[in-house]
Amino acid sequence: MFINGKWKQAENNSTFDVLNPATGEVITRVANGSAKDISDAIKAADTAFEAWSSKTSYQRSHYLYTAWKLMMDKKEDLARLMTEEQGKPLVAARNEVQYGADFLLWFGEEAKRVYGQTIPSARPDQRFIVLKQPVGVVGAITPWNYPVSMITRKMAPALAAGCTIVLKPAEATPLCAMEMFKIFEEAGIPAGVVNLITTLDPKPVGVQFTSNPVIQKLTFTGSTKVGKMLAKEAAQHMKRVSLELGGHAPFIVYDDADPVHAAKGAVLVKFLNTGQACISPNRIFVPRHMVDDFTKEFSSRVNAMKAGNGMDKGVRIGPLVGPDAVLKVENQVKDALSKGAKLITGGKRLTDGPLEKGYFYAPTVLTRVTRDMLIFREETFGPVAPIIAYDPEDDVIKMANDTAYGLAAYVYTKSTSRAMTAFERLKFGIIGINDINPTSAAAPFGGMKESGMGREGAKEGINEYLETKLGGFSI
Ligand code: ADP
C-alpha cells in the first residue's frame, strides 16, 4: 500500500493472493489492509490537503502532465501487467492504458480552467462572486474490469481540482493500481496527496469512506447493489457522492440500417472485455424481417473470434474474472433456453487444453429472447449476445427504455430524423449513433436512473470535485 508517500505492508502483515484469470495461477501476494491502515491513509490525505489545495492550478497541472508522460513511457509494461492480472487481450489492454493516460493530460489542462463567476445584483451596493473550491479529501473505490482507466478517470480530475485522495482498487486487480501509484510517486506528487489501500475485505473501507468526517466525497464505480448501499450510508453523513454503476444497454437496429455494418459494430462492442463492461449491449433489437440476415452476419463474426490467454496473438476473448462470473452467465443462458430462446452459437464453458484452468465461456449468441427472461433484465457482464425481434408496430424506444438502468444505448440507422428522435427519447446517459465508442476523456460519461449519478470526464468530471461558494459583498 502507499500511505503518506511510503510503500507499506498491512499493519497486521496480512496479505492476499492475486490470480491470473487465464491460468488460475497466483501472480503474487499483496498487502491486505486493515481498518487502522485505512484511517492512517485518510489522516495522511487530510494533512496533505491544505498544501496541495493551495498550490496553483499550474503547479498541479504540471504533476499531472509529468504522470501522463511517465504513463506513456510505461504503456507496454502496464498493458502486459493488465492482461496478466485482469485477462483482457493485449491489444485491448494497450487501448485502455492510452484511454487512462488521456485523463491525466486532459485534466492537467482543465485544472487551469476552473472558473468562477460574477453575478450582477439587484442592489446597487452589492456584488456577487462565485468561487469554485476543492471539496476536500476524496475516498475512491474502483472496479477490476478497467483497472487502470477507472483510477485515472477519478484521480486526474480530483487532483486537478485540488483534492487529496485515498483509493481502494478491486480485490482482483491491486497490481495495476500499484503501478499507477508508482507513477504518481515518480511524478513527485507530495506525500499524503495520493494514498492506496489494497484489501481483500472492502467493507471497512466503505464504512470509513461514508462515515469518517474527514472524507468529503465518495466516488465509486461498481455494481448498482453496492453503489446503493454506499449512497445510503453516505447520506447519513451528507457526503457528496458520484456513482458509476451497472448498465443494461439496448442496441437498436432500424430497418434502414446496413445489417453488415450494424452487426460488425454490435459484435465489437458486445464482446469488448469479454462483455465485462458497464456499457456492454445487453439487448440487441432487430426488425423481425432482418433477424436472419443480421444473426448470420453477427454469428459468423462471433465464430471467428479466438478465445484464450490475452497474451497470445490473435486472441479476442479473454477469461471472465472468476468462477462466480462464469456461473452467472451459465445461469442466464440456461434460464433463457428454458423459456424458449434459441442458441445460435456458444452456450458452454471453454475447457480445451490450457483453457481448463481459467474462467472461459464461449462467445454466445441467443435469438428469440423475450422480456420474461433473466437476461432481459439482469446485467450479464459476460460474452452473451441476446437478439430480440421487433415488429413495425412496436415502439422500440419504449422497449429499450424498459429497464431500471440508464447508462449506454446504441442506435443504427441512416435516417437523421430517426437518429435525432432516438437520441432525444432514450433515457440513457450515453448514446452511440452508428457509433460504438462514444467515450473520451473530453466527453461526459455517466448514467441516468439506477446506473448512477454524476459524470466522469469532460468539464462535468472536474465539477464533481468542486464546491460552489458564493460571496456577497456590500461596498
Ligand atoms: P463487481 O460486481 O464489479 O465486482 P462490486 O460493486 O462488488 O462490483 O465491486 C466494485 C468495487 O466495490 C470493488 O472495488 C469492491 O471491492 C468494492 N466493494 C464491494 N463491496 C463493497 C462494500 N461493502 N463497501 C465498499 N466497497 C465495496
Side-chain angles (χ1 to χ4, degrees), residues 52 55-72 100-114 151-163 165 180 183-190 193-194 462 465:
W52 180 250
K55 285 191 187 297
T56 66
S57 54
Y58 282 78
Q59 288 171 316
R60 290 198 297 268
S61 170
H62 192 71
Y63 287 109
L64 288 170
Y65 178 67
T66 310
W68 170 75
K69 272 202 300 196
L70 288 166
M71 201 169 163
M72 295 313 290
D102 290 348
F103 289 99
L104 294 172
L105 187 60
W106 202 88
F107 282 106
E109 292 161 348
E110 196 63 5
K112 302 168 199 163
R113 289 183 264 282
V114 175
I151 292 178
T152 52
R153 198 156 85 172
K154 295 183 187 311
M155 290 186 63
L159 290 171
C163 296
I165 301 153
M180 283 311 304
I183 288 173
F184 294 132
E185 182 187 23
E186 211 180 314
I189 293 179
V193 173
V194 294
I462 197 164
Y465 299 96

Short mmCIF file of all heavy atoms in Angstrom, two decimals, residues 52 55-72 100-114 151-163 165 180 183-190 193-194 462 465:
data_model
loop_
_atom_site.label_atom_id
_atom_site.label_comp_id
_atom_site.label_asym_id
_atom_site.label_seq_id
_atom_site.Cartn_x
_atom_site.Cartn_y
_atom_site.Cartn_z
N TRP A 52 -1.67 21.00 -0.76
CA TRP A 52 -1.99 20.62 -2.15
C TRP A 52 -3.04 21.56 -2.76
O TRP A 52 -2.91 22.02 -3.88
CB TRP A 52 -2.48 19.17 -2.20
CG TRP A 52 -2.82 18.70 -3.57
CD1 TRP A 52 -4.07 18.44 -4.07
CD2 TRP A 52 -1.91 18.45 -4.67
NE1 TRP A 52 -3.99 18.02 -5.38
CE2 TRP A 52 -2.68 18.02 -5.77
CE3 TRP A 52 -0.52 18.52 -4.81
CZ2 TRP A 52 -2.11 17.69 -6.99
CZ3 TRP A 52 0.04 18.19 -6.03
CH2 TRP A 52 -0.74 17.78 -7.10
N LYS A 55 -1.66 24.97 -3.79
CA LYS A 55 -0.79 25.11 -4.97
C LYS A 55 -1.59 25.77 -6.09
O LYS A 55 -2.82 25.68 -6.13
CB LYS A 55 -0.31 23.73 -5.44
CG LYS A 55 0.77 23.15 -4.55
CD LYS A 55 1.37 21.93 -5.20
CE LYS A 55 2.34 21.22 -4.28
NZ LYS A 55 3.52 22.01 -3.90
N THR A 56 -0.87 26.40 -7.01
CA THR A 56 -1.60 26.97 -8.14
C THR A 56 -2.05 25.84 -9.05
O THR A 56 -1.45 24.75 -9.06
CB THR A 56 -0.71 27.92 -8.97
OG1 THR A 56 0.32 27.14 -9.57
CG2 THR A 56 -0.09 29.01 -8.11
N SER A 57 -3.06 26.13 -9.83
CA SER A 57 -3.53 25.08 -10.75
C SER A 57 -2.45 24.76 -11.77
O SER A 57 -2.39 23.65 -12.29
CB SER A 57 -4.83 25.52 -11.42
OG SER A 57 -4.65 26.77 -12.02
N TYR A 58 -1.58 25.71 -12.05
CA TYR A 58 -0.47 25.46 -12.99
C TYR A 58 0.50 24.43 -12.40
O TYR A 58 1.01 23.56 -13.11
CB TYR A 58 0.25 26.77 -13.34
CG TYR A 58 -0.52 27.56 -14.36
CD1 TYR A 58 -1.64 28.30 -13.98
CD2 TYR A 58 -0.18 27.52 -15.71
CE1 TYR A 58 -2.39 29.00 -14.92
CE2 TYR A 58 -0.91 28.22 -16.65
CZ TYR A 58 -2.02 28.95 -16.25
OH TYR A 58 -2.75 29.62 -17.19
N GLN A 59 0.73 24.54 -11.09
CA GLN A 59 1.62 23.55 -10.44
C GLN A 59 0.98 22.16 -10.47
O GLN A 59 1.62 21.17 -10.83
CB GLN A 59 1.91 23.97 -8.99
CG GLN A 59 2.83 25.17 -8.89
CD GLN A 59 2.90 25.70 -7.47
OE1 GLN A 59 1.90 25.84 -6.77
NE2 GLN A 59 4.11 26.01 -7.02
N ARG A 60 -0.30 22.09 -10.11
CA ARG A 60 -0.97 20.77 -10.10
C ARG A 60 -1.02 20.20 -11.52
O ARG A 60 -0.85 19.00 -11.73
CB ARG A 60 -2.38 20.91 -9.51
CG ARG A 60 -2.37 21.19 -8.02
CD ARG A 60 -3.72 20.89 -7.39
NE ARG A 60 -4.78 21.74 -7.91
CZ ARG A 60 -5.16 22.89 -7.37
NH1 ARG A 60 -4.56 23.32 -6.26
NH2 ARG A 60 -6.12 23.58 -7.90
N SER A 61 -1.24 21.06 -12.46
CA SER A 61 -1.28 20.63 -13.85
C SER A 61 0.05 19.98 -14.25
O SER A 61 0.08 18.96 -14.95
CB SER A 61 -1.56 21.86 -14.72
OG SER A 61 -1.38 21.55 -16.06
N HIS A 62 1.14 20.59 -13.76
CA HIS A 62 2.45 20.06 -14.14
C HIS A 62 2.66 18.64 -13.61
O HIS A 62 3.23 17.78 -14.31
CB HIS A 62 3.56 21.00 -13.66
CG HIS A 62 4.88 20.65 -14.26
ND1 HIS A 62 5.16 20.87 -15.60
CD2 HIS A 62 5.96 20.03 -13.75
CE1 HIS A 62 6.37 20.42 -15.86
NE2 HIS A 62 6.88 19.90 -14.76
N TYR A 63 2.20 18.36 -12.39
CA TYR A 63 2.31 16.99 -11.86
C TYR A 63 1.53 16.02 -12.75
O TYR A 63 1.97 14.91 -13.03
CB TYR A 63 1.74 16.91 -10.44
CG TYR A 63 2.60 17.56 -9.39
CD1 TYR A 63 2.22 18.74 -8.78
CD2 TYR A 63 3.79 16.96 -8.96
CE1 TYR A 63 2.99 19.34 -7.79
CE2 TYR A 63 4.57 17.55 -7.97
CZ TYR A 63 4.16 18.74 -7.40
OH TYR A 63 4.93 19.30 -6.43
N LEU A 64 0.34 16.44 -13.16
CA LEU A 64 -0.49 15.54 -13.99
C LEU A 64 0.17 15.30 -15.34
O LEU A 64 0.17 14.18 -15.86
CB LEU A 64 -1.89 16.13 -14.16
CG LEU A 64 -2.75 16.08 -12.89
CD1 LEU A 64 -4.03 16.89 -13.04
CD2 LEU A 64 -3.11 14.64 -12.54
N TYR A 65 0.76 16.35 -15.88
CA TYR A 65 1.45 16.23 -17.16
C TYR A 65 2.64 15.27 -17.04
O TYR A 65 2.87 14.40 -17.90
CB TYR A 65 1.90 17.62 -17.63
CG TYR A 65 2.65 17.59 -18.93
CD1 TYR A 65 2.01 17.24 -20.12
CD2 TYR A 65 4.01 17.91 -18.97
CE1 TYR A 65 2.71 17.20 -21.30
CE2 TYR A 65 4.71 17.87 -20.16
CZ TYR A 65 4.05 17.52 -21.32
OH TYR A 65 4.74 17.47 -22.49
N THR A 66 3.39 15.39 -15.93
CA THR A 66 4.54 14.50 -15.70
C THR A 66 4.06 13.05 -15.57
O THR A 66 4.66 12.13 -16.14
CB THR A 66 5.30 14.92 -14.43
OG1 THR A 66 5.55 16.32 -14.51
CG2 THR A 66 6.60 14.18 -14.26
N ALA A 67 2.97 12.86 -14.83
CA ALA A 67 2.43 11.50 -14.67
C ALA A 67 1.99 10.95 -16.03
O ALA A 67 2.20 9.77 -16.32
CB ALA A 67 1.25 11.51 -13.69
N TRP A 68 1.41 11.80 -16.86
CA TRP A 68 0.98 11.36 -18.20
C TRP A 68 2.18 10.89 -19.03
O TRP A 68 2.15 9.83 -19.66
CB TRP A 68 0.26 12.53 -18.92
CG TRP A 68 0.00 12.24 -20.37
CD1 TRP A 68 -0.96 11.41 -20.87
CD2 TRP A 68 0.73 12.75 -21.49
NE1 TRP A 68 -0.88 11.38 -22.24
CE2 TRP A 68 0.14 12.19 -22.65
CE3 TRP A 68 1.81 13.62 -21.63
CZ2 TRP A 68 0.60 12.47 -23.94
CZ3 TRP A 68 2.26 13.91 -22.91
CH2 TRP A 68 1.66 13.34 -24.04
N LYS A 69 3.26 11.68 -18.95
CA LYS A 69 4.45 11.30 -19.74
C LYS A 69 5.00 9.95 -19.26
O LYS A 69 5.34 9.08 -20.06
CB LYS A 69 5.53 12.38 -19.60
CG LYS A 69 5.37 13.48 -20.65
CD LYS A 69 6.66 14.24 -20.90
CE LYS A 69 7.14 14.89 -19.64
NZ LYS A 69 8.14 15.92 -19.79
N LEU A 70 5.07 9.79 -17.94
CA LEU A 70 5.57 8.53 -17.38
C LEU A 70 4.68 7.36 -17.80
O LEU A 70 5.16 6.27 -18.13
CB LEU A 70 5.62 8.60 -15.85
CG LEU A 70 6.71 9.50 -15.28
CD1 LEU A 70 6.46 9.79 -13.79
CD2 LEU A 70 8.08 8.82 -15.45
N MET A 71 3.39 7.62 -17.79
CA MET A 71 2.45 6.56 -18.16
C MET A 71 2.64 6.16 -19.62
O MET A 71 2.58 4.97 -19.97
CB MET A 71 1.03 7.06 -17.91
CG MET A 71 0.04 5.94 -17.77
SD MET A 71 -1.53 6.55 -17.17
CE MET A 71 -2.55 5.15 -17.62
N MET A 72 2.87 7.13 -20.48
CA MET A 72 3.10 6.82 -21.89
C MET A 72 4.39 6.02 -22.06
O MET A 72 4.45 5.08 -22.85
CB MET A 72 3.15 8.10 -22.73
CG MET A 72 1.85 8.88 -22.79
SD MET A 72 0.39 7.88 -23.14
CE MET A 72 0.70 7.46 -24.82
N GLY A 100 -6.70 5.63 -20.30
CA GLY A 100 -6.41 6.04 -18.93
C GLY A 100 -5.47 7.24 -18.89
O GLY A 100 -5.68 8.19 -18.12
N ALA A 101 -4.44 7.21 -19.72
CA ALA A 101 -3.47 8.31 -19.75
C ALA A 101 -4.13 9.61 -20.22
O ALA A 101 -3.81 10.70 -19.74
CB ALA A 101 -2.30 7.95 -20.67
N ASP A 102 -5.07 9.49 -21.15
CA ASP A 102 -5.76 10.68 -21.67
C ASP A 102 -6.35 11.53 -20.55
O ASP A 102 -6.37 12.76 -20.65
CB ASP A 102 -6.93 10.27 -22.60
CG ASP A 102 -6.44 9.69 -23.92
OD1 ASP A 102 -5.25 9.81 -24.23
OD2 ASP A 102 -7.29 9.12 -24.65
N PHE A 103 -6.84 10.89 -19.48
CA PHE A 103 -7.45 11.66 -18.39
C PHE A 103 -6.42 12.54 -17.68
O PHE A 103 -6.74 13.65 -17.25
CB PHE A 103 -8.14 10.73 -17.38
CG PHE A 103 -9.39 10.11 -17.93
CD1 PHE A 103 -9.39 8.83 -18.44
CD2 PHE A 103 -10.58 10.84 -17.97
CE1 PHE A 103 -10.54 8.27 -18.99
CE2 PHE A 103 -11.74 10.29 -18.50
CZ PHE A 103 -11.71 9.00 -19.01
N LEU A 104 -5.19 12.02 -17.56
CA LEU A 104 -4.15 12.81 -16.88
C LEU A 104 -3.85 14.07 -17.68
O LEU A 104 -3.75 15.17 -17.14
CB LEU A 104 -2.89 11.96 -16.70
CG LEU A 104 -3.03 10.76 -15.76
CD1 LEU A 104 -1.78 9.90 -15.80
CD2 LEU A 104 -3.32 11.21 -14.33
N LEU A 105 -3.71 13.89 -18.99
CA LEU A 105 -3.39 15.04 -19.84
C LEU A 105 -4.56 16.02 -19.90
O LEU A 105 -4.40 17.23 -19.72
CB LEU A 105 -3.02 14.55 -21.24
CG LEU A 105 -2.50 15.60 -22.20
CD1 LEU A 105 -1.24 16.26 -21.66
CD2 LEU A 105 -2.22 15.00 -23.57
N TRP A 106 -5.75 15.47 -20.11
CA TRP A 106 -6.93 16.33 -20.30
C TRP A 106 -7.22 17.14 -19.03
O TRP A 106 -7.44 18.35 -19.09
CB TRP A 106 -8.14 15.48 -20.70
CG TRP A 106 -9.19 16.31 -21.40
CD1 TRP A 106 -9.26 16.57 -22.73
CD2 TRP A 106 -10.26 17.03 -20.78
NE1 TRP A 106 -10.33 17.40 -22.98
CE2 TRP A 106 -10.96 17.70 -21.80
CE3 TRP A 106 -10.70 17.17 -19.46
CZ2 TRP A 106 -12.09 18.48 -21.56
CZ3 TRP A 106 -11.81 17.97 -19.22
CH2 TRP A 106 -12.49 18.62 -20.26
N PHE A 107 -7.19 16.46 -17.87
CA PHE A 107 -7.50 17.19 -16.63
C PHE A 107 -6.32 18.06 -16.17
O PHE A 107 -6.51 19.04 -15.45
CB PHE A 107 -7.99 16.26 -15.53
CG PHE A 107 -9.43 15.88 -15.74
CD1 PHE A 107 -9.78 14.61 -16.18
CD2 PHE A 107 -10.45 16.81 -15.54
CE1 PHE A 107 -11.11 14.28 -16.41
CE2 PHE A 107 -11.78 16.49 -15.77
CZ PHE A 107 -12.11 15.22 -16.20
N GLY A 108 -5.10 17.70 -16.63
CA GLY A 108 -3.97 18.60 -16.39
C GLY A 108 -4.24 19.94 -17.06
O GLY A 108 -3.91 21.01 -16.53
N GLU A 109 -4.85 19.89 -18.21
CA GLU A 109 -5.20 21.14 -18.92
C GLU A 109 -6.41 21.80 -18.26
O GLU A 109 -6.43 23.01 -18.04
CB GLU A 109 -5.50 20.82 -20.39
CG GLU A 109 -4.26 20.39 -21.15
CD GLU A 109 -4.56 19.65 -22.44
OE1 GLU A 109 -5.72 19.26 -22.66
OE2 GLU A 109 -3.61 19.45 -23.22
N GLU A 110 -7.38 20.99 -17.91
CA GLU A 110 -8.63 21.54 -17.35
C GLU A 110 -8.40 22.19 -15.99
O GLU A 110 -9.15 23.10 -15.60
CB GLU A 110 -9.67 20.41 -17.24
CG GLU A 110 -11.10 20.87 -17.05
CD GLU A 110 -11.66 21.68 -18.22
OE1 GLU A 110 -10.97 21.83 -19.25
OE2 GLU A 110 -12.78 22.18 -18.09
N ALA A 111 -7.36 21.75 -15.27
CA ALA A 111 -7.06 22.36 -13.96
C ALA A 111 -6.99 23.88 -14.08
O ALA A 111 -7.40 24.61 -13.17
CB ALA A 111 -5.73 21.80 -13.45
N LYS A 112 -6.49 24.35 -15.21
CA LYS A 112 -6.28 25.80 -15.40
C LYS A 112 -7.57 26.51 -15.77
O LYS A 112 -7.58 27.72 -15.93
CB LYS A 112 -5.26 26.03 -16.52
CG LYS A 112 -3.92 25.37 -16.27
CD LYS A 112 -3.10 25.42 -17.56
CE LYS A 112 -1.99 24.40 -17.56
NZ LYS A 112 -1.46 24.16 -18.89
N ARG A 113 -8.65 25.75 -15.93
CA ARG A 113 -9.89 26.39 -16.39
C ARG A 113 -11.03 26.21 -15.39
O ARG A 113 -12.19 26.11 -15.76
CB ARG A 113 -10.28 25.81 -17.75
CG ARG A 113 -9.36 26.28 -18.85
CD ARG A 113 -9.78 25.79 -20.21
NE ARG A 113 -9.07 24.59 -20.59
CZ ARG A 113 -7.82 24.59 -21.04
NH1 ARG A 113 -7.14 25.71 -21.16
NH2 ARG A 113 -7.23 23.46 -21.36
N VAL A 114 -10.65 26.17 -14.09
CA VAL A 114 -11.69 26.11 -13.06
C VAL A 114 -12.14 27.55 -12.79
O VAL A 114 -11.58 28.25 -11.95
CB VAL A 114 -11.14 25.43 -11.78
CG1 VAL A 114 -12.16 25.48 -10.66
CG2 VAL A 114 -10.75 23.99 -12.08
N ILE A 151 -9.06 4.35 -12.50
CA ILE A 151 -8.27 5.07 -11.48
C ILE A 151 -8.01 6.50 -11.95
O ILE A 151 -8.26 7.46 -11.23
CB ILE A 151 -6.96 4.30 -11.19
CG1 ILE A 151 -7.32 2.99 -10.48
CG2 ILE A 151 -6.00 5.15 -10.36
CD1 ILE A 151 -6.14 2.11 -10.17
N THR A 152 -7.51 6.64 -13.17
CA THR A 152 -7.18 7.99 -13.65
C THR A 152 -8.44 8.81 -13.89
O THR A 152 -8.43 10.03 -13.75
CB THR A 152 -6.35 7.94 -14.94
OG1 THR A 152 -7.03 7.11 -15.88
CG2 THR A 152 -4.96 7.40 -14.68
N ARG A 153 -9.54 8.15 -14.27
CA ARG A 153 -10.78 8.89 -14.53
C ARG A 153 -11.29 9.58 -13.27
O ARG A 153 -11.98 10.59 -13.33
CB ARG A 153 -11.83 7.92 -15.08
CG ARG A 153 -12.97 8.60 -15.77
CD ARG A 153 -13.66 7.70 -16.75
NE ARG A 153 -14.66 6.86 -16.11
CZ ARG A 153 -15.51 6.08 -16.78
NH1 ARG A 153 -15.45 6.01 -18.09
NH2 ARG A 153 -16.38 5.36 -16.15
N LYS A 154 -10.95 9.00 -12.10
CA LYS A 154 -11.31 9.64 -10.83
C LYS A 154 -10.19 10.53 -10.31
O LYS A 154 -10.43 11.65 -9.85
CB LYS A 154 -11.62 8.57 -9.78
CG LYS A 154 -12.84 7.74 -10.12
CD LYS A 154 -13.14 6.75 -9.02
CE LYS A 154 -14.25 5.80 -9.41
NZ LYS A 154 -15.46 6.42 -9.94
N MET A 155 -8.97 10.01 -10.35
CA MET A 155 -7.89 10.74 -9.68
C MET A 155 -7.45 11.99 -10.43
O MET A 155 -7.10 12.99 -9.80
CB MET A 155 -6.70 9.80 -9.44
CG MET A 155 -7.06 8.77 -8.36
SD MET A 155 -5.71 7.72 -7.88
CE MET A 155 -4.53 8.84 -7.20
N ALA A 156 -7.45 11.94 -11.76
CA ALA A 156 -6.97 13.12 -12.51
C ALA A 156 -7.83 14.35 -12.22
O ALA A 156 -7.29 15.40 -11.86
CB ALA A 156 -6.90 12.81 -14.00
N PRO A 157 -9.18 14.26 -12.31
CA PRO A 157 -9.96 15.46 -12.00
C PRO A 157 -9.88 15.85 -10.53
O PRO A 157 -9.88 17.05 -10.20
CB PRO A 157 -11.40 15.08 -12.40
CG PRO A 157 -11.42 13.59 -12.44
CD PRO A 157 -10.04 13.17 -12.81
N ALA A 158 -9.81 14.85 -9.64
CA ALA A 158 -9.73 15.17 -8.20
C ALA A 158 -8.44 15.94 -7.91
O ALA A 158 -8.45 16.97 -7.22
CB ALA A 158 -9.81 13.89 -7.38
N LEU A 159 -7.33 15.45 -8.46
CA LEU A 159 -6.04 16.13 -8.23
C LEU A 159 -6.04 17.51 -8.88
O LEU A 159 -5.54 18.48 -8.30
CB LEU A 159 -4.89 15.28 -8.78
CG LEU A 159 -4.59 13.99 -8.02
CD1 LEU A 159 -3.59 13.13 -8.78
CD2 LEU A 159 -4.08 14.28 -6.61
N ALA A 160 -6.59 17.60 -10.07
CA ALA A 160 -6.63 18.89 -10.77
C ALA A 160 -7.42 19.91 -9.96
O ALA A 160 -7.04 21.08 -9.85
CB ALA A 160 -7.28 18.70 -12.15
N ALA A 161 -8.52 19.44 -9.33
CA ALA A 161 -9.37 20.35 -8.55
C ALA A 161 -8.70 20.81 -7.26
O ALA A 161 -9.09 21.81 -6.68
CB ALA A 161 -10.69 19.66 -8.23
N GLY A 162 -7.69 20.03 -6.80
CA GLY A 162 -7.01 20.37 -5.54
C GLY A 162 -7.37 19.45 -4.39
O GLY A 162 -7.09 19.76 -3.23
N CYS A 163 -8.00 18.31 -4.70
CA CYS A 163 -8.37 17.35 -3.65
C CYS A 163 -7.21 16.40 -3.38
O CYS A 163 -6.39 16.14 -4.26
CB CYS A 163 -9.57 16.52 -4.10
SG CYS A 163 -11.05 17.49 -4.34
N ILE A 165 -6.52 12.28 -1.95
CA ILE A 165 -7.30 11.07 -2.25
C ILE A 165 -6.80 9.84 -1.49
O ILE A 165 -5.60 9.65 -1.32
CB ILE A 165 -7.17 10.74 -3.76
CG1 ILE A 165 -7.67 11.91 -4.60
CG2 ILE A 165 -7.95 9.49 -4.15
CD1 ILE A 165 -7.02 11.98 -5.95
N MET A 180 0.15 2.27 -11.02
CA MET A 180 -0.28 3.67 -11.21
C MET A 180 0.25 4.55 -10.08
O MET A 180 0.67 5.68 -10.30
CB MET A 180 -1.81 3.76 -11.26
CG MET A 180 -2.43 3.34 -12.57
SD MET A 180 -1.66 4.08 -14.02
CE MET A 180 -1.80 5.82 -13.67
N ILE A 183 3.75 5.50 -10.54
CA ILE A 183 3.83 6.64 -11.48
C ILE A 183 3.57 7.95 -10.75
O ILE A 183 4.32 8.92 -10.92
CB ILE A 183 2.85 6.42 -12.66
CG1 ILE A 183 3.39 5.31 -13.56
CG2 ILE A 183 2.60 7.71 -13.43
CD1 ILE A 183 2.47 4.86 -14.67
N PHE A 184 2.56 7.99 -9.90
CA PHE A 184 2.29 9.23 -9.15
C PHE A 184 3.47 9.59 -8.25
O PHE A 184 3.83 10.75 -8.10
CB PHE A 184 1.01 9.09 -8.31
CG PHE A 184 -0.25 8.95 -9.14
CD1 PHE A 184 -1.18 7.95 -8.86
CD2 PHE A 184 -0.50 9.80 -10.21
CE1 PHE A 184 -2.33 7.82 -9.63
CE2 PHE A 184 -1.65 9.67 -10.98
CZ PHE A 184 -2.57 8.67 -10.68
N GLU A 185 4.07 8.54 -7.65
CA GLU A 185 5.23 8.78 -6.79
C GLU A 185 6.38 9.35 -7.61
O GLU A 185 7.00 10.36 -7.24
CB GLU A 185 5.66 7.45 -6.14
CG GLU A 185 6.82 7.59 -5.18
CD GLU A 185 7.33 6.22 -4.70
OE1 GLU A 185 7.11 5.19 -5.39
OE2 GLU A 185 7.96 6.19 -3.63
N GLU A 186 6.64 8.71 -8.75
CA GLU A 186 7.75 9.15 -9.60
C GLU A 186 7.51 10.55 -10.16
O GLU A 186 8.45 11.31 -10.41
CB GLU A 186 7.91 8.15 -10.76
CG GLU A 186 9.34 8.01 -11.23
CD GLU A 186 9.47 7.01 -12.37
OE1 GLU A 186 8.89 5.90 -12.28
OE2 GLU A 186 10.15 7.33 -13.36
N ALA A 187 6.25 10.91 -10.33
CA ALA A 187 5.92 12.26 -10.83
C ALA A 187 6.16 13.32 -9.76
O ALA A 187 6.03 14.51 -10.03
CB ALA A 187 4.47 12.30 -11.30
N GLY A 188 6.46 12.87 -8.53
CA GLY A 188 6.81 13.81 -7.47
C GLY A 188 5.62 14.39 -6.72
O GLY A 188 5.76 15.38 -5.98
N ILE A 189 4.46 13.78 -6.88
CA ILE A 189 3.27 14.26 -6.15
C ILE A 189 3.57 14.15 -4.65
O ILE A 189 4.01 13.11 -4.17
CB ILE A 189 2.02 13.45 -6.56
CG1 ILE A 189 1.70 13.76 -8.03
CG2 ILE A 189 0.83 13.75 -5.66
CD1 ILE A 189 0.53 13.04 -8.62
N PRO A 190 3.38 15.23 -3.88
CA PRO A 190 3.82 15.24 -2.48
C PRO A 190 3.16 14.15 -1.61
O PRO A 190 2.04 13.71 -1.90
CB PRO A 190 3.40 16.63 -1.99
CG PRO A 190 3.24 17.46 -3.22
CD PRO A 190 2.82 16.52 -4.30
N VAL A 193 -0.81 13.13 -0.62
CA VAL A 193 -1.81 13.63 -1.60
C VAL A 193 -2.55 12.45 -2.23
O VAL A 193 -3.77 12.50 -2.43
CB VAL A 193 -1.14 14.52 -2.67
CG1 VAL A 193 -2.13 14.90 -3.78
CG2 VAL A 193 -0.56 15.77 -2.03
N VAL A 194 -1.80 11.39 -2.55
CA VAL A 194 -2.46 10.19 -3.10
C VAL A 194 -2.08 8.99 -2.21
O VAL A 194 -0.92 8.78 -1.89
CB VAL A 194 -2.04 9.91 -4.57
CG1 VAL A 194 -2.54 10.99 -5.49
CG2 VAL A 194 -0.54 9.75 -4.71
N ILE A 462 -14.70 17.37 -13.56
CA ILE A 462 -13.96 18.11 -12.53
C ILE A 462 -14.94 18.77 -11.56
O ILE A 462 -14.65 18.91 -10.36
CB ILE A 462 -12.95 19.11 -13.15
CG1 ILE A 462 -11.92 19.55 -12.09
CG2 ILE A 462 -13.63 20.32 -13.75
CD1 ILE A 462 -10.69 20.21 -12.68
N TYR A 465 -15.69 17.36 -8.15
CA TYR A 465 -14.71 17.51 -7.06
C TYR A 465 -14.61 18.96 -6.59
O TYR A 465 -13.65 19.33 -5.92
CB TYR A 465 -13.34 16.98 -7.50
CG TYR A 465 -13.42 15.52 -7.85
CD1 TYR A 465 -13.59 15.09 -9.17
CD2 TYR A 465 -13.39 14.55 -6.85
CE1 TYR A 465 -13.73 13.76 -9.49
CE2 TYR A 465 -13.51 13.21 -7.16
CZ TYR A 465 -13.68 12.82 -8.47
OH TYR A 465 -13.82 11.49 -8.77
#
